[in-house]
Amino acid sequence: MENNASSMAHLFLILSVMFTLFSSSNGVVKGAFEENFSKSCPGTHFKTSEDGQIWYLTLDQVSDCGFITKQSYRFGWYSTKLKLVGGDSAGVVTAFYMCSEVEAGPLRDEIDFEFLGNRTGQPYLIQTNVYNNGSGGREMRHQLWFDPTLDFHTYSILWNSHQIVFFVDQVPIRVYKNANHTNNFFPAQRPMYVFSSIWNADNWATRGGLDKINWKNAPFVASYKDFTIDACPWKNHYPACASSTTQHWWDQNNAWHLSSKEKIDYAWVQRNFVVYNYCQDTVRNKYKPQECWLNPLD
C-alpha cells in the first residue's frame, strides 16, 4: 500500500521529535539499550548485531526472552521493526505490547500485538487485544499480505483518549474507539510500559493448542530494530502531556480519526485479511460489546 501525504507528514514529525533510541547519523547512542530498557532473560538469549542496532531475542527449552522500557507512558506513538521466526514456528508467540504493570497483574491495562507462529507453509496470524482493569476478550486476528519472516516490517500503536489504532507498515489494520461513555472499556487512565518478548504459548497459540512447539527446531529467534517512542513520559506528579492539551500530534484532531487514504487502506484490510473479530462472535458474546457499535471510520 502506498503511503499518503498525511501518513508521510506524520512519519516526518515522528522522526523529528521522537524519543530517540538510536542516531542514524552517528550509529548507536552509547548505552541506549541499558539506559532505556531492562532485559528479562539470560544474556545468552539476548544478542545484538555488531553495530548494536538489531536486537535478537531467543526462545529455547532453557528460557524465553523479553525486554521492557524503564519508563512508562500515557498516550502517544509506539513503533518497532520486527522480523519474525521463520520455518516451523508453531506454538511460538512473539509480542510487542504495552501494559500498566510490570508483572501483568490481575487488574492491568494492556494493548497487544501478538504474532502467532504456525507450521511451515502456513501463514502467521497477528492477534491484537485490549485490556482494561484486567478484562480482555477484545481479540481480533488478521493474516498479513506478506511473509513477515523474510524481512523487517513496521508494527505501530497509536494511543490517545479517542482511539487505539494498530498499524502494519503504516496501514491501519484495527481501530478501537473509546466507548467509555457507555461501557467504560478503554484504557485511558494509567500509564503503560512497553514490552517485547518471545515465549512458549503452545497451549493456545496455534490451532487452539493442538500444534505444539517442535523443540528440534530451536533456537527460535525474533529480530527487532528501530524501536521508537513518541509519547508522554509518566512522572510521579501528573505530567501536563497526559492531559488532552493537543500540544502533540498524537493528541490532535488528525490523530483522533483515520485520514481519507487510511480509511481506504483500513477497508481493504477488513475485506481481505480479517480472520476473527470478537464483535462478530455471537457464541462468545451474547450481547455485542458497546464499542462494537461504534464506527471505526468516524
Side-chain angles (χ1 to χ4, degrees), residues 190-232:
R190 292 183 286 181
M192 299 195 204
Y193 297 91
V194 185
F195 297 76
S196 290
S197 61
I198 183 170
W199 52 290
N200 175 3
D202 68 3
N203 62 323
W204 66 270
T206 307
R207 293 203 307 138
L210 294 177
D211 291 339
K212 304 299 183 181
I213 291 179
N214 184 350
W215 291 109
K216 294 180 180 179
N217 297 323
F220 303 98
V221 180
S223 307
Y224 292 80
K225 69 176 183 178
D226 298 346
F227 206 107
T228 60
I229 298 173
D230 180 10
C232 176

Coordinates of all heavy atoms in Angstrom, one line a residue, residues 190-232:
R190 N -4.3 5.0 33.1 CA -3.0 4.6 33.6 C -1.9 4.6 32.6 O -2.1 4.2 31.5 CB -3.1 3.3 34.3 CG -4.0 3.3 35.6 CD -4.0 1.9 36.3 NE -4.8 1.0 35.5 CZ -5.0 -0.3 35.9 NH1 -4.4 -0.7 37.0 NH2 -5.8 -1.1 35.2
P191 N -0.7 5.0 33.0 CA 0.4 4.9 32.0 C 0.8 3.4 31.8 O 0.5 2.6 32.7 CB 1.5 5.7 32.7 CG 1.2 5.5 34.2 CD -0.3 5.5 34.3
M192 N 1.5 3.1 30.8 CA 1.9 1.8 30.4 C 3.4 1.7 30.1 O 4.0 2.7 29.5 CB 1.1 1.2 29.3 CG -0.4 1.1 29.5 SD -1.2 0.1 28.3 CE -2.8 0.7 28.3
Y193 N 4.0 0.6 30.4 CA 5.3 0.3 30.0 C 5.2 -0.4 28.6 O 4.2 -1.0 28.3 CB 6.0 -0.7 31.0 CG 6.3 -0.1 32.3 CD1 5.3 -0.3 33.3 CD2 7.4 0.6 32.6 CE1 5.5 0.3 34.6 CE2 7.6 1.2 33.9 CZ 6.7 1.0 34.9 OH 6.9 1.5 36.1
V194 N 6.3 -0.4 27.8 CA 6.4 -1.0 26.5 C 7.2 -2.3 26.6 O 8.3 -2.2 27.2 CB 6.9 -0.1 25.5 CG1 6.8 -0.7 24.1 CG2 6.1 1.2 25.5
F195 N 6.7 -3.4 26.1 CA 7.3 -4.7 26.2 C 7.6 -5.3 24.9 O 6.8 -5.0 23.9 CB 6.5 -5.7 27.0 CG 6.2 -5.4 28.4 CD1 5.3 -4.4 28.8 CD2 6.8 -6.1 29.5 CE1 5.0 -4.1 30.1 CE2 6.5 -5.8 30.8 CZ 5.6 -4.8 31.1
S196 N 8.5 -6.2 24.8 CA 8.7 -7.1 23.6 C 9.2 -8.4 24.2 O 9.9 -8.5 25.1 CB 9.7 -6.5 22.6 OG 9.1 -5.4 21.9
S197 N 8.7 -9.5 23.5 CA 9.1 -10.8 24.1 C 8.9 -11.9 23.0 O 8.2 -11.7 22.0 CB 8.3 -11.1 25.3 OG 6.9 -11.2 25.0
I198 N 9.5 -13.0 23.3 CA 9.3 -14.3 22.5 C 9.1 -15.4 23.6 O 9.9 -15.5 24.5 CB 10.4 -14.6 21.5 CG1 10.1 -15.8 20.7 CG2 11.8 -14.7 22.2 CD1 11.0 -16.1 19.6
W199 N 8.1 -16.2 23.5 CA 7.8 -17.1 24.5 C 7.0 -18.3 24.0 O 6.4 -18.3 22.9 CB 7.0 -16.4 25.7 CG 5.8 -15.6 25.3 CD1 5.8 -14.5 24.6 CD2 4.5 -16.0 25.6 NE1 4.5 -14.0 24.5 CE2 3.7 -14.9 25.1 CE3 3.8 -17.0 26.3 CZ2 2.3 -14.9 25.2 CZ3 2.4 -17.0 26.4 CH2 1.7 -16.0 25.9
N200 N 6.9 -19.4 24.9 CA 6.2 -20.6 24.6 C 4.8 -20.4 24.9 O 4.4 -20.3 26.1 CB 6.9 -21.7 25.4 CG 6.1 -23.1 25.2 OD1 5.1 -23.1 24.5 ND2 6.5 -24.1 26.0
A201 N 3.9 -20.5 23.9 CA 2.5 -20.4 24.1 C 1.8 -21.5 23.4 O 0.7 -21.3 22.9 CB 1.9 -19.0 23.6
D202 N 2.4 -22.7 23.4 CA 1.8 -23.8 22.6 C 0.6 -24.4 23.3 O 0.0 -25.4 22.7 CB 2.9 -24.8 22.2 CG 3.4 -25.6 23.4 OD1 2.9 -25.5 24.6 OD2 4.3 -26.4 23.2
N203 N 0.2 -23.9 24.4 CA -1.1 -24.4 25.0 C -2.3 -23.7 24.4 O -3.4 -24.1 24.6 CB -1.1 -24.1 26.5 CG -1.0 -22.7 26.9 OD1 -0.3 -21.9 26.2 ND2 -1.7 -22.3 27.9
W204 N -2.1 -22.7 23.5 CA -3.2 -22.0 22.9 C -2.9 -21.3 21.5 O -3.8 -21.1 20.7 CB -3.7 -20.9 23.8 CG -2.8 -19.7 24.0 CD1 -1.8 -19.6 25.0 CD2 -2.6 -18.5 23.2 NE1 -1.1 -18.5 24.9 CE2 -1.6 -17.8 23.8 CE3 -3.3 -18.1 22.1 CZ2 -1.2 -16.5 23.3 CZ3 -2.9 -16.8 21.6 CH2 -1.9 -16.1 22.2
A205 N -1.7 -21.0 21.2 CA -1.4 -20.1 20.1 C -1.7 -20.7 18.7 O -2.1 -19.9 17.8 CB 0.1 -19.7 20.2
T206 N -1.4 -21.9 18.5 CA -1.5 -22.5 17.1 C -2.6 -23.5 17.1 O -2.5 -24.6 17.8 CB -0.2 -23.1 16.6 OG1 0.8 -22.1 16.8 CG2 -0.3 -23.5 15.2
R207 N -3.7 -23.3 16.4 CA -4.8 -24.1 16.3 C -5.4 -24.5 17.7 O -5.7 -25.6 18.0 CB -4.5 -25.4 15.5 CG -4.3 -25.1 14.0 CD -4.5 -26.4 13.2 NE -3.8 -27.5 13.6 CZ -4.3 -28.8 13.7 NH1 -5.6 -29.0 13.3 NH2 -3.6 -29.8 14.1
G208 N -5.5 -23.5 18.5 CA -6.0 -23.6 19.8 C -5.2 -24.5 20.7 O -5.7 -25.1 21.7
G209 N -3.9 -24.7 20.5 CA -3.1 -25.5 21.3 C -2.8 -26.9 20.7 O -2.1 -27.7 21.4
L210 N -3.4 -27.2 19.6 CA -3.2 -28.6 19.0 C -1.8 -28.8 18.5 O -1.3 -29.9 18.6 CB -4.3 -28.8 17.9 CG -5.7 -28.9 18.3 CD1 -6.6 -29.0 17.1 CD2 -6.0 -30.0 19.3
D211 N -1.2 -27.7 18.0 CA 0.1 -27.8 17.4 C 1.1 -27.3 18.5 O 1.1 -26.1 18.8 CB 0.3 -27.0 16.1 CG -0.5 -27.6 15.0 OD1 -0.8 -28.8 15.0 OD2 -0.8 -26.9 14.0
K212 N 2.0 -28.2 18.9 CA 3.0 -27.9 19.9 C 4.3 -27.5 19.3 O 4.6 -27.7 18.1 CB 3.2 -29.1 20.8 CG 1.9 -29.6 21.5 CD 1.3 -28.5 22.4 CE 0.0 -29.1 23.1 NZ -0.6 -28.1 23.9
I213 N 5.1 -26.8 20.1 CA 6.5 -26.5 19.6 C 7.3 -27.7 19.3 O 7.3 -28.7 20.1 CB 7.2 -25.6 20.7 CG1 6.5 -24.2 20.8 CG2 8.7 -25.4 20.3 CD1 7.2 -23.3 21.9
N214 N 7.9 -27.7 18.2 CA 8.9 -28.7 17.9 C 10.3 -28.2 18.3 O 10.9 -27.5 17.6 CB 8.9 -29.0 16.4 CG 9.8 -30.2 16.0 OD1 10.6 -30.6 16.8 ND2 9.7 -30.6 14.8
W215 N 10.7 -28.7 19.4 CA 12.0 -28.1 20.0 C 13.2 -28.5 19.2 O 14.3 -28.0 19.4 CB 12.1 -28.6 21.5 CG 11.1 -27.9 22.4 CD1 10.0 -28.5 23.0 CD2 11.0 -26.5 22.7 NE1 9.3 -27.6 23.7 CE2 9.9 -26.4 23.6 CE3 11.8 -25.4 22.5 CZ2 9.5 -25.1 24.1 CZ3 11.5 -24.2 23.0 CH2 10.3 -24.1 23.8
K216 N 13.0 -29.5 18.3 CA 14.2 -29.8 17.4 C 14.5 -28.6 16.5 O 15.7 -28.6 16.0 CB 13.8 -31.0 16.5 CG 13.6 -32.3 17.3 CD 13.3 -33.5 16.4 CE 13.1 -34.8 17.1 NZ 12.7 -35.9 16.2
N217 N 13.6 -27.7 16.4 CA 13.9 -26.5 15.5 C 14.5 -25.4 16.3 O 14.7 -24.3 15.7 CB 12.6 -26.1 14.8 CG 12.0 -27.1 13.9 OD1 12.8 -27.8 13.2 ND2 10.7 -27.2 13.8
A218 N 14.6 -25.5 17.6 CA 15.1 -24.4 18.5 C 16.6 -24.3 18.2 O 17.3 -25.2 17.7 CB 14.9 -24.8 19.9
P219 N 17.2 -23.1 18.4 CA 16.5 -21.9 19.0 C 15.6 -21.1 18.0 O 15.9 -21.1 16.8 CB 17.7 -21.1 19.4 CG 18.8 -21.4 18.5 CD 18.6 -22.8 18.1
F220 N 14.6 -20.5 18.5 CA 13.7 -19.6 17.7 C 14.1 -18.2 18.0 O 14.3 -17.8 19.2 CB 12.3 -19.9 18.1 CG 11.8 -21.3 18.0 CD1 11.8 -22.1 19.1 CD2 11.4 -21.8 16.7 CE1 11.4 -23.5 18.9 CE2 11.0 -23.1 16.6 CZ 11.0 -23.9 17.7
V221 N 14.4 -17.4 17.0 CA 14.9 -16.1 17.1 C 14.0 -15.1 16.5 O 13.7 -15.2 15.3 CB 16.3 -16.0 16.6 CG1 16.9 -14.6 16.7 CG2 17.3 -17.0 17.2
A222 N 13.6 -14.0 17.2 CA 12.9 -12.9 16.7 C 13.9 -11.7 16.7 O 14.6 -11.5 17.6 CB 11.7 -12.6 17.5
S223 N 13.8 -10.9 15.6 CA 14.8 -9.8 15.5 C 14.0 -8.4 15.5 O 13.0 -8.3 14.8 CB 15.5 -9.9 14.1 OG 16.1 -11.2 14.0
Y224 N 14.5 -7.5 16.3 CA 14.0 -6.2 16.4 C 15.0 -5.1 16.0 O 16.2 -5.2 16.2 CB 13.6 -5.9 17.9 CG 12.4 -6.7 18.4 CD1 12.7 -8.0 18.9 CD2 11.2 -6.2 18.6 CE1 11.6 -8.8 19.4 CE2 10.1 -6.9 19.1 CZ 10.4 -8.2 19.5 OH 9.4 -9.0 20.1
K225 N 14.5 -4.0 15.5 CA 15.3 -2.8 15.3 C 14.4 -1.6 15.2 O 13.2 -1.7 15.1 CB 16.1 -2.9 14.0 CG 15.4 -2.9 12.7 CD 16.4 -2.9 11.5 CE 15.6 -2.8 10.2 NZ 16.6 -2.8 9.0
D226 N 15.0 -0.4 15.2 CA 14.3 0.9 15.0 C 13.2 1.0 16.0 O 12.0 1.4 15.6 CB 13.9 1.1 13.6 CG 15.0 1.1 12.6 OD1 16.2 1.3 13.0 OD2 14.8 1.0 11.4
F227 N 13.4 0.8 17.3 CA 12.4 0.9 18.3 C 12.2 2.4 18.6 O 13.2 3.0 19.1 CB 12.8 0.1 19.5 CG 11.7 -0.4 20.4 CD1 11.4 -1.7 20.4 CD2 11.0 0.5 21.2 CE1 10.3 -2.2 21.2 CE2 9.9 0.1 22.0 CZ 9.6 -1.2 22.0
T228 N 11.0 2.9 18.4 CA 10.8 4.3 18.6 C 9.6 4.6 19.4 O 8.6 3.9 19.3 CB 10.7 5.1 17.3 OG1 9.6 4.6 16.6 CG2 12.0 5.0 16.5
I229 N 9.6 5.6 20.3 CA 8.5 6.0 21.1 C 8.4 7.6 21.0 O 9.4 8.3 21.3 CB 8.7 5.6 22.5 CG1 8.8 4.1 22.6 CG2 7.5 6.1 23.4 CD1 9.1 3.6 24.0
D230 N 7.2 8.0 20.6 CA 6.9 9.5 20.7 C 5.7 9.6 21.6 O 4.6 9.4 21.1 CB 6.7 10.0 19.3 CG 6.4 11.5 19.3 OD1 6.5 12.1 20.3 OD2 6.0 12.0 18.2
A231 N 5.9 9.8 22.8 CA 4.8 9.7 23.8 C 5.0 10.6 25.0 O 6.0 11.3 25.1 CB 4.7 8.2 24.2
C232 N 4.1 10.5 25.9 CA 4.1 11.3 27.1 C 4.7 10.5 28.3 O 4.1 9.5 28.8 CB 2.7 11.7 27.5 SG 2.6 12.6 29.1

